Amino acid sequence: DQQVKQNSPSLSVQEGRISILNCDYTNSMFDYFLWYKKYPAEGPTFLISISSIKDKNEDGRFTVFLNKSAKHLSLHIVPSQPGDSAVYFCAASGNQFYFGTGTSLTVIP
Amino acid sequence: KAGVTQTPRYLIKTRGQQVTLSCSPISGHRSVSWYQQTPGQGLQFLFEYFSETQRNKGNFPGRFSGRQFSNSRSEMNVSTLELGDSALYLCASSLRREGNEQFFGPGTRLTVL
């Protein structure tokens, strides 16, 4: 049973525009949420995280929003750059890390 | 500081064989987790080791096993390989458990023929 879901397998965005990647989860006991970025032939790299006691965390061009009532997490990238093209995984931390299936982001120059 | 290393990077085996994959975590990291990544399935948690003890196990058959050594290096073993075991196996280390970000290695690409 997938406890963390990313329902959009792919997303294309023009360079300079906003990219919004979404993630839903089922377990209200998760206490920490993370986003990872993965390039081909490399392992995922940590991007940004948010504690369940917060609703927003910002780091440069990346902002993560958490809506606990909706059990929904989103990552905003503004402005999007071609180098942001990668697969993005959201993850939730409980007794273990649960990962979504990933969203492939393509930023078009 | 050196990152997480995994060996080998690529492996080709035949059905019925067994395989051992190795992971060296970042120095000082005591938690090592293993994941299986297949197309469309995301990262599926295999198991986590902390201070040489398995702390958590995912929903995989007993053919999948692992261990951690006193220097925090970890190995995972898959016995009686099946075609469906073809995947990218990722190892991740972290300083401690619960909520801390994980640092991933490049993975071992296993192909079972």
Side-chain angles (χ1 to χ4, degrees):
Chain A
D1 184 31
Q2 199 76 18
Q3 297 201 39
V4 176
K5 296 179 184 179
Q6 293 177 257
N7 292 318
S8 298
S10 63
L11 175 69
S12 290
V13 170
Q14 286 290 134
E15 181 179 2
R17 307 292 290 268
I18 184 171
S19 295
I20 300 176
L21 296 97
N22 294 304
C23 180
D24 296 298
Y25 62 95
T26 58
N27 189 341
S28 57
M29 299 301 290
F30 288 143
D31 55 5
Y32 216 74
F33 301 90
L34 308 94
W35 283 95
Y36 285 83
K37 177 178 174 180
K38 186 179 186 301
Y39 293 117
E42 295 182 12
T45 55
F46 171 76
L47 200 54
I48 191 169
S49 64
I50 186 168
S51 164
S52 61
I53 62 172
K54 295 186 176 181
D55 55 21
K56 178 182 173 181
N57 188 27
E58 196 171 346
D59 183 3
R61 298 186 296 115
F62 303 92
T63 303
V64 57
F65 295 92
L66 177 61
N67 182 335
K68 287 187 288 294
S69 60
K71 295 192 179 68
H72 180 80
L73 185 68
S74 63
L75 174 69
H76 292 210
I77 305 174
V78 183
S80 300
Q81 299 173 354
D84 296 329
S85 297
V87 177
Y88 289 77
F89 291 96
C90 68
S93 173
N95 60 337
Q96 68 185 61
F97 283 93
Y98 296 87
F99 283 80
T101 51
T103 296
S104 178
L105 172 66
T106 302
V107 180
I108 304 163
Chain B
K1 190 185 268 191
V4 177
T5 57
Q6 291 187 248
T7 56
R9 290 294 309 277
Y10 302 92
L11 206 47
I12 298 176
K13 292 284 188 179
T14 56
R15 280 188 307 170
Q17 287 187 306
Q18 77 163 22
V19 67
T20 299
L21 311 181
S22 181
C23 171
S24 293
I26 290 172
S27 177
H29 285 194
R30 296 165 63 192
S31 174
V32 173
S33 296
W34 289 89
Y35 296 88
Q36 182 195 66
Q37 185 188 5
T38 53
Q41 292 295 312
L43 277 71
Q44 303 290 312
F45 173 75
L46 280 155
F47 25 67
E48 181 209 356
Y49 286 88
F50 185 83
S51 294
E52 301 178 67
T53 302
Q54 186 180 90
R55 297 303 179 107
N56 221 330
K57 191 177 194 308
N59 190 25
F60 278 82
R63 300 186 296 108
F64 291 81
S65 63
R67 59 178 175 168
Q68 186 180 34
F69 302 95
S70 58
N71 62 358
S72 294
R73 190 177 71 85
S74 178
E75 288 181 347
M76 70 162 277
N77 185 76
V78 188
S79 62
T80 321
L81 284 166
E82 300 176 359
L83 295 178
D85 296 333
S86 295
L88 180 68
Y89 290 88
L90 290 160
C91 165
S93 76
S94 59
L95 263 175
R96 58 182 187 275
R97 309 180 66 217
E98 288 99 29
N100 209 40
E101 69 177 271
Q102 295 185 311
F103 295 82
F104 282 84
T108 294
R109 172 72 63 185
L110 172 65
T111 302
V112 182
L113 303 175

mmCIF file of all heavy atoms in Angstrom, chain A residues 18-19 21 35-37 39 45-49 56-65 74-81 83-86 88 105 107:
data_model
loop_
_atom_site.group_PDB
_atom_site.id
_atom_site.type_symbol
_atom_site.label_atom_id
_atom_site.label_comp_id
_atom_site.label_asym_id
_atom_site.label_seq_id
_atom_site.Cartn_x
_atom_site.Cartn_y
_atom_site.Cartn_z
ATOM 1 N N ILE A 18 7.018 28.983 -12.949
ATOM 2 C CA ILE A 18 6.978 28.225 -11.713
ATOM 3 C C ILE A 18 6.711 26.741 -12.000
ATOM 4 O O ILE A 18 5.901 26.397 -12.854
ATOM 5 C CB ILE A 18 5.901 28.785 -10.745
ATOM 6 C CG1 ILE A 18 5.928 28.048 -9.406
ATOM 7 C CG2 ILE A 18 4.510 28.706 -11.378
ATOM 8 C CD1 ILE A 18 5.046 28.698 -8.343
ATOM 9 N N SER A 19 7.432 25.877 -11.296
ATOM 10 C CA SER A 19 7.150 24.439 -11.330
ATOM 11 C C SER A 19 6.507 24.077 -10.001
ATOM 12 O O SER A 19 7.021 24.468 -8.939
ATOM 13 C CB SER A 19 8.433 23.614 -11.494
ATOM 14 O OG SER A 19 9.048 23.849 -12.733
ATOM 15 N N LEU A 21 5.252 20.743 -7.943
ATOM 16 C CA LEU A 21 5.202 19.287 -7.861
ATOM 17 C C LEU A 21 4.403 18.906 -6.620
ATOM 18 O O LEU A 21 4.601 19.487 -5.555
ATOM 19 C CB LEU A 21 6.603 18.693 -7.792
ATOM 20 C CG LEU A 21 7.457 18.929 -9.038
ATOM 21 C CD1 LEU A 21 8.371 20.125 -8.857
ATOM 22 C CD2 LEU A 21 8.274 17.693 -9.364
ATOM 23 N N TRP A 35 12.011 16.355 0.121
ATOM 24 C CA TRP A 35 12.038 16.261 -1.340
ATOM 25 C C TRP A 35 13.462 15.934 -1.773
ATOM 26 O O TRP A 35 14.432 16.512 -1.266
ATOM 27 C CB TRP A 35 11.605 17.570 -1.990
ATOM 28 C CG TRP A 35 10.133 17.793 -1.960
ATOM 29 C CD1 TRP A 35 9.428 18.497 -1.031
ATOM 30 C CD2 TRP A 35 9.174 17.313 -2.907
ATOM 31 N NE1 TRP A 35 8.088 18.475 -1.332
ATOM 32 C CE2 TRP A 35 7.902 17.761 -2.481
ATOM 33 C CE3 TRP A 35 9.256 16.548 -4.077
ATOM 34 C CZ2 TRP A 35 6.729 17.475 -3.190
ATOM 35 C CZ3 TRP A 35 8.088 16.267 -4.775
ATOM 36 C CH2 TRP A 35 6.838 16.723 -4.335
ATOM 37 N N TYR A 36 13.548 15.001 -2.721
ATOM 38 C CA TYR A 36 14.816 14.609 -3.292
ATOM 39 C C TYR A 36 14.755 14.801 -4.791
ATOM 40 O O TYR A 36 13.700 14.707 -5.416
ATOM 41 C CB TYR A 36 15.114 13.131 -3.004
ATOM 42 C CG TYR A 36 15.541 12.834 -1.586
ATOM 43 C CD1 TYR A 36 14.594 12.666 -0.582
ATOM 44 C CD2 TYR A 36 16.875 12.721 -1.264
ATOM 45 C CE1 TYR A 36 14.982 12.388 0.717
ATOM 46 C CE2 TYR A 36 17.283 12.443 0.034
ATOM 47 C CZ TYR A 36 16.323 12.277 1.011
ATOM 48 O OH TYR A 36 16.713 12.000 2.304
ATOM 49 N N LYS A 37 15.920 15.044 -5.354
ATOM 50 C CA LYS A 37 16.054 15.235 -6.797
ATOM 51 C C LYS A 37 16.988 14.150 -7.306
ATOM 52 O O LYS A 37 17.996 13.833 -6.666
ATOM 53 C CB LYS A 37 16.661 16.619 -7.009
ATOM 54 C CG LYS A 37 16.970 17.028 -8.404
ATOM 55 C CD LYS A 37 17.519 18.458 -8.351
ATOM 56 C CE LYS A 37 17.998 18.940 -9.672
ATOM 57 N NZ LYS A 37 18.520 20.337 -9.573
ATOM 58 N N TYR A 39 19.061 12.699 -10.768
ATOM 59 C CA TYR A 39 19.491 12.697 -12.165
ATOM 60 C C TYR A 39 19.753 11.246 -12.569
ATOM 61 O O TYR A 39 20.054 10.403 -11.726
ATOM 62 C CB TYR A 39 20.770 13.509 -12.340
ATOM 63 C CG TYR A 39 20.611 14.993 -12.112
ATOM 64 C CD1 TYR A 39 21.284 15.628 -11.077
ATOM 65 C CD2 TYR A 39 19.797 15.767 -12.949
ATOM 66 C CE1 TYR A 39 21.159 16.989 -10.868
ATOM 67 C CE2 TYR A 39 19.664 17.135 -12.738
ATOM 68 C CZ TYR A 39 20.349 17.736 -11.706
ATOM 69 O OH TYR A 39 20.220 19.080 -11.488
ATOM 70 N N THR A 45 19.430 13.118 -4.424
ATOM 71 C CA THR A 45 20.092 14.080 -3.554
ATOM 72 C C THR A 45 19.035 14.901 -2.831
ATOM 73 O O THR A 45 18.021 15.287 -3.421
ATOM 74 C CB THR A 45 21.036 15.017 -4.316
ATOM 75 O OG1 THR A 45 20.303 15.655 -5.364
ATOM 76 C CG2 THR A 45 22.195 14.269 -4.905
ATOM 77 N N PHE A 46 19.288 15.155 -1.572
ATOM 78 C CA PHE A 46 18.359 15.897 -0.738
ATOM 79 C C PHE A 46 18.198 17.328 -1.241
ATOM 80 O O PHE A 46 19.174 17.990 -1.602
ATOM 81 C CB PHE A 46 18.861 15.890 0.703
ATOM 82 C CG PHE A 46 18.102 16.796 1.613
ATOM 83 C CD1 PHE A 46 16.849 16.452 2.088
ATOM 84 C CD2 PHE A 46 18.640 18.015 1.988
ATOM 85 C CE1 PHE A 46 16.153 17.292 2.929
ATOM 86 C CE2 PHE A 46 17.953 18.867 2.830
ATOM 87 C CZ PHE A 46 16.703 18.498 3.306
ATOM 88 N N LEU A 47 16.950 17.794 -1.249
ATOM 89 C CA LEU A 47 16.672 19.138 -1.742
ATOM 90 C C LEU A 47 16.196 20.038 -0.611
ATOM 91 O O LEU A 47 16.783 21.059 -0.299
ATOM 92 C CB LEU A 47 15.606 19.030 -2.818
ATOM 93 C CG LEU A 47 15.432 20.152 -3.813
ATOM 94 C CD1 LEU A 47 16.731 20.491 -4.511
ATOM 95 C CD2 LEU A 47 14.359 19.761 -4.845
ATOM 96 N N ILE A 48 15.128 19.663 0.024
ATOM 97 C CA ILE A 48 14.534 20.504 1.062
ATOM 98 C C ILE A 48 13.620 19.632 1.911
ATOM 99 O O ILE A 48 13.135 18.607 1.444
ATOM 100 C CB ILE A 48 13.752 21.680 0.421
ATOM 101 C CG1 ILE A 48 13.339 22.720 1.469
ATOM 102 C CG2 ILE A 48 12.548 21.171 -0.369
ATOM 103 C CD1 ILE A 48 12.799 24.014 0.861
ATOM 104 N N SER A 49 13.410 20.039 3.150
ATOM 105 C CA SER A 49 12.546 19.264 4.036
ATOM 106 C C SER A 49 11.646 20.198 4.837
ATOM 107 O O SER A 49 11.831 21.420 4.855
ATOM 108 C CB SER A 49 13.380 18.413 4.998
ATOM 109 O OG SER A 49 14.133 19.245 5.860
ATOM 110 N N LYS A 56 5.362 25.758 5.956
ATOM 111 C CA LYS A 56 6.129 26.283 4.821
ATOM 112 C C LYS A 56 7.606 26.305 5.192
ATOM 113 O O LYS A 56 7.985 26.628 6.320
ATOM 114 C CB LYS A 56 5.646 27.707 4.500
ATOM 115 C CG LYS A 56 6.392 28.396 3.374
ATOM 116 C CD LYS A 56 5.872 29.815 3.185
ATOM 117 C CE LYS A 56 6.699 30.601 2.180
ATOM 118 N NZ LYS A 56 6.200 31.994 2.022
ATOM 119 N N ASN A 57 8.422 25.950 4.203
ATOM 120 C CA ASN A 57 9.866 26.098 4.372
ATOM 121 C C ASN A 57 10.460 26.522 3.037
ATOM 122 O O ASN A 57 10.114 25.968 1.993
ATOM 123 C CB ASN A 57 10.510 24.779 4.843
ATOM 124 C CG ASN A 57 11.964 24.954 5.205
ATOM 125 O OD1 ASN A 57 12.382 26.045 5.592
ATOM 126 N ND2 ASN A 57 12.750 23.906 5.084
ATOM 127 N N GLU A 58 11.330 27.523 3.097
ATOM 128 C CA GLU A 58 11.856 28.113 1.871
ATOM 129 C C GLU A 58 13.381 28.029 1.873
ATOM 130 O O GLU A 58 14.035 28.259 2.890
ATOM 131 C CB GLU A 58 11.415 29.585 1.831
ATOM 132 C CG GLU A 58 11.537 30.260 0.511
ATOM 133 C CD GLU A 58 10.873 31.637 0.519
ATOM 134 O OE1 GLU A 58 10.104 31.921 1.457
ATOM 135 O OE2 GLU A 58 11.121 32.417 -0.410
ATOM 136 N N ASP A 59 13.928 27.716 0.698
ATOM 137 C CA ASP A 59 15.382 27.681 0.545
ATOM 138 C C ASP A 59 15.709 28.124 -0.871
ATOM 139 O O ASP A 59 15.657 27.327 -1.815
ATOM 140 C CB ASP A 59 15.911 26.275 0.813
ATOM 141 C CG ASP A 59 17.437 26.204 0.748
ATOM 142 O OD1 ASP A 59 18.083 27.255 0.551
ATOM 143 O OD2 ASP A 59 17.984 25.101 0.893
ATOM 144 N N GLY A 60 16.013 29.412 -1.001
ATOM 145 C CA GLY A 60 16.332 29.929 -2.321
ATOM 146 C C GLY A 60 15.139 29.844 -3.253
ATOM 147 O O GLY A 60 14.059 30.336 -2.956
ATOM 148 N N ARG A 61 15.338 29.181 -4.371
ATOM 149 C CA ARG A 61 14.247 29.055 -5.352
ATOM 150 C C ARG A 61 13.226 27.982 -4.988
ATOM 151 O O ARG A 61 12.219 27.819 -5.666
ATOM 152 C CB ARG A 61 14.845 28.725 -6.726
ATOM 153 C CG ARG A 61 15.774 29.793 -7.293
ATOM 154 C CD ARG A 61 16.206 29.463 -8.724
ATOM 155 N NE ARG A 61 16.995 28.239 -8.784
ATOM 156 C CZ ARG A 61 16.606 27.132 -9.404
ATOM 157 N NH1 ARG A 61 15.423 27.076 -10.005
ATOM 158 N NH2 ARG A 61 17.391 26.066 -9.444
ATOM 159 N N PHE A 62 13.510 27.246 -3.956
ATOM 160 C CA PHE A 62 12.666 26.101 -3.588
ATOM 161 C C PHE A 62 11.853 26.387 -2.325
ATOM 162 O O PHE A 62 12.395 26.840 -1.320
ATOM 163 C CB PHE A 62 13.543 24.856 -3.361
ATOM 164 C CG PHE A 62 14.381 24.495 -4.548
ATOM 165 C CD1 PHE A 62 15.672 24.982 -4.690
ATOM 166 C CD2 PHE A 62 13.875 23.667 -5.538
ATOM 167 C CE1 PHE A 62 16.440 24.657 -5.789
ATOM 168 C CE2 PHE A 62 14.638 23.334 -6.647
ATOM 169 C CZ PHE A 62 15.918 23.829 -6.770
ATOM 170 N N THR A 63 10.557 26.114 -2.416
ATOM 171 C CA THR A 63 9.680 26.270 -1.260
ATOM 172 C C THR A 63 8.817 25.031 -1.146
ATOM 173 O O THR A 63 8.250 24.574 -2.148
ATOM 174 C CB THR A 63 8.769 27.507 -1.406
ATOM 175 O OG1 THR A 63 9.572 28.669 -1.599
ATOM 176 C CG2 THR A 63 7.909 27.689 -0.152
ATOM 177 N N VAL A 64 8.722 24.496 0.047
ATOM 178 C CA VAL A 64 7.843 23.362 0.278
ATOM 179 C C VAL A 64 6.685 23.819 1.154
ATOM 180 O O VAL A 64 6.877 24.533 2.132
ATOM 181 C CB VAL A 64 8.599 22.158 0.895
ATOM 182 C CG1 VAL A 64 9.288 22.540 2.179
ATOM 183 C CG2 VAL A 64 7.666 20.990 1.108
ATOM 184 N N PHE A 65 5.482 23.430 0.756
ATOM 185 C CA PHE A 65 4.268 23.749 1.497
ATOM 186 C C PHE A 65 3.662 22.456 2.023
ATOM 187 O O PHE A 65 3.616 21.448 1.301
ATOM 188 C CB PHE A 65 3.248 24.453 0.591
ATOM 189 C CG PHE A 65 3.695 25.802 0.107
ATOM 190 C CD1 PHE A 65 4.363 25.936 -1.105
ATOM 191 C CD2 PHE A 65 3.435 26.938 0.866
ATOM 192 C CE1 PHE A 65 4.778 27.181 -1.553
ATOM 193 C CE2 PHE A 65 3.844 28.191 0.419
ATOM 194 C CZ PHE A 65 4.520 28.309 -0.795
ATOM 195 N N SER A 74 3.600 20.104 -1.329
ATOM 196 C CA SER A 74 3.965 20.548 -2.671
ATOM 197 C C SER A 74 5.325 21.223 -2.634
ATOM 198 O O SER A 74 5.737 21.789 -1.613
ATOM 199 C CB SER A 74 2.897 21.484 -3.242
ATOM 200 O OG SER A 74 2.802 22.659 -2.474
ATOM 201 N N LEU A 75 5.996 21.131 -3.758
ATOM 202 C CA LEU A 75 7.296 21.777 -3.941
ATOM 203 C C LEU A 75 7.150 22.799 -5.052
ATOM 204 O O LEU A 75 6.709 22.457 -6.151
ATOM 205 C CB LEU A 75 8.364 20.741 -4.308
ATOM 206 C CG LEU A 75 9.742 21.290 -4.675
ATOM 207 C CD1 LEU A 75 10.422 21.894 -3.441
ATOM 208 C CD2 LEU A 75 10.619 20.197 -5.281
ATOM 209 N N HIS A 76 7.516 24.050 -4.761
ATOM 210 C CA HIS A 76 7.479 25.105 -5.758
ATOM 211 C C HIS A 76 8.903 25.484 -6.123
ATOM 212 O O HIS A 76 9.733 25.704 -5.218
ATOM 213 C CB HIS A 76 6.740 26.338 -5.209
ATOM 214 C CG HIS A 76 5.280 26.124 -5.001
ATOM 215 N ND1 HIS A 76 4.355 27.140 -5.102
ATOM 216 C CD2 HIS A 76 4.563 25.004 -4.718
ATOM 217 C CE1 HIS A 76 3.147 26.663 -4.869
ATOM 218 N NE2 HIS A 76 3.247 25.368 -4.632
ATOM 219 N N ILE A 77 9.166 25.564 -7.407
ATOM 220 C CA ILE A 77 10.477 25.981 -7.882
ATOM 221 C C ILE A 77 10.265 27.251 -8.714
ATOM 222 O O ILE A 77 9.572 27.213 -9.737
ATOM 223 C CB ILE A 77 11.136 24.897 -8.762
ATOM 224 C CG1 ILE A 77 11.197 23.559 -8.001
ATOM 225 C CG2 ILE A 77 12.556 25.329 -9.154
ATOM 226 C CD1 ILE A 77 11.698 22.390 -8.853
ATOM 227 N N VAL A 78 10.828 28.350 -8.237
ATOM 228 C CA VAL A 78 10.666 29.624 -8.933
ATOM 229 C C VAL A 78 11.974 30.417 -8.924
ATOM 230 O O VAL A 78 12.507 30.651 -7.838
ATOM 231 C CB VAL A 78 9.575 30.492 -8.256
ATOM 232 C CG1 VAL A 78 9.375 31.790 -9.033
ATOM 233 C CG2 VAL A 78 8.264 29.751 -8.151
ATOM 234 N N PRO A 79 12.482 30.873 -10.063
ATOM 235 C CA PRO A 79 12.061 30.481 -11.409
ATOM 236 C C PRO A 79 12.679 29.144 -11.793
ATOM 237 O O PRO A 79 13.768 28.799 -11.330
ATOM 238 C CB PRO A 79 12.638 31.613 -12.267
ATOM 239 C CG PRO A 79 13.888 32.012 -11.538
ATOM 240 C CD PRO A 79 13.593 31.828 -10.061
ATOM 241 N N SER A 80 12.011 28.410 -12.625
ATOM 242 C CA SER A 80 12.527 27.117 -13.072
ATOM 243 C C SER A 80 13.677 27.329 -14.054
ATOM 244 O O SER A 80 13.654 28.257 -14.878
ATOM 245 C CB SER A 80 11.418 26.310 -13.758
ATOM 246 O OG SER A 80 10.354 26.085 -12.864
ATOM 247 N N GLN A 81 14.667 26.442 -13.956
ATOM 248 C CA GLN A 81 15.835 26.527 -14.830
ATOM 249 C C GLN A 81 16.032 25.173 -15.522
ATOM 250 O O GLN A 81 15.660 24.130 -14.951
ATOM 251 C CB GLN A 81 17.085 26.878 -14.006
ATOM 252 C CG GLN A 81 17.009 28.210 -13.298
ATOM 253 C CD GLN A 81 18.175 28.451 -12.369
ATOM 254 O OE1 GLN A 81 19.017 27.584 -12.143
ATOM 255 N NE2 GLN A 81 18.237 29.664 -11.812
ATOM 256 N N GLY A 83 18.492 23.294 -15.675
ATOM 257 C CA GLY A 83 19.233 22.386 -14.798
ATOM 258 C C GLY A 83 18.364 21.722 -13.740
ATOM 259 O O GLY A 83 18.809 20.780 -13.078
ATOM 260 N N ASP A 84 17.131 22.218 -13.599
ATOM 261 C CA ASP A 84 16.201 21.600 -12.650
ATOM 262 C C ASP A 84 15.557 20.347 -13.234
ATOM 263 O O ASP A 84 14.871 19.609 -12.517
ATOM 264 C CB ASP A 84 15.091 22.586 -12.259
ATOM 265 C CG ASP A 84 15.615 23.808 -11.519
ATOM 266 O OD1 ASP A 84 16.630 23.690 -10.813
ATOM 267 O OD2 ASP A 84 14.992 24.888 -11.671
ATOM 268 N N SER A 85 15.755 20.095 -14.503
ATOM 269 C CA SER A 85 15.177 18.917 -15.151
ATOM 270 C C SER A 85 15.743 17.655 -14.500
ATOM 271 O O SER A 85 16.952 17.406 -14.536
ATOM 272 C CB SER A 85 15.479 18.922 -16.648
ATOM 273 O OG SER A 85 14.879 20.038 -17.272
ATOM 274 N N ALA A 86 14.873 16.893 -13.895
ATOM 275 C CA ALA A 86 15.274 15.704 -13.127
ATOM 276 C C ALA A 86 14.001 15.015 -12.657
ATOM 277 O O ALA A 86 12.896 15.503 -12.895
ATOM 278 C CB ALA A 86 16.135 16.099 -11.934
ATOM 279 N N TYR A 88 11.866 14.095 -9.384
ATOM 280 C CA TYR A 88 11.727 14.570 -8.010
ATOM 281 C C TYR A 88 10.894 13.564 -7.215
ATOM 282 O O TYR A 88 9.805 13.165 -7.619
ATOM 283 C CB TYR A 88 11.049 15.949 -7.983
ATOM 284 C CG TYR A 88 11.953 17.032 -8.517
ATOM 285 C CD1 TYR A 88 12.152 17.183 -9.883
ATOM 286 C CD2 TYR A 88 12.634 17.870 -7.644
ATOM 287 C CE1 TYR A 88 13.006 18.158 -10.373
ATOM 288 C CE2 TYR A 88 13.488 18.861 -8.129
ATOM 289 C CZ TYR A 88 13.666 18.989 -9.495
ATOM 290 O OH TYR A 88 14.518 19.953 -9.980
ATOM 291 N N LEU A 105 10.447 16.094 -14.065
ATOM 292 C CA LEU A 105 10.289 17.496 -14.442
ATOM 293 C C LEU A 105 11.196 17.819 -15.623
ATOM 294 O O LEU A 105 12.398 17.518 -15.589
ATOM 295 C CB LEU A 105 10.622 18.411 -13.269
ATOM 296 C CG LEU A 105 10.685 19.907 -13.565
ATOM 297 C CD1 LEU A 105 9.292 20.443 -13.943
ATOM 298 C CD2 LEU A 105 11.244 20.697 -12.379
ATOM 299 N N VAL A 107 12.284 21.150 -17.809
ATOM 300 C CA VAL A 107 12.227 22.607 -17.948
ATOM 301 C C VAL A 107 12.711 22.948 -19.350
ATOM 302 O O VAL A 107 13.865 22.676 -19.706
ATOM 303 C CB VAL A 107 13.079 23.312 -16.888
ATOM 304 C CG1 VAL A 107 12.997 24.831 -17.068
ATOM 305 C CG2 VAL A 107 12.609 22.907 -15.491
#
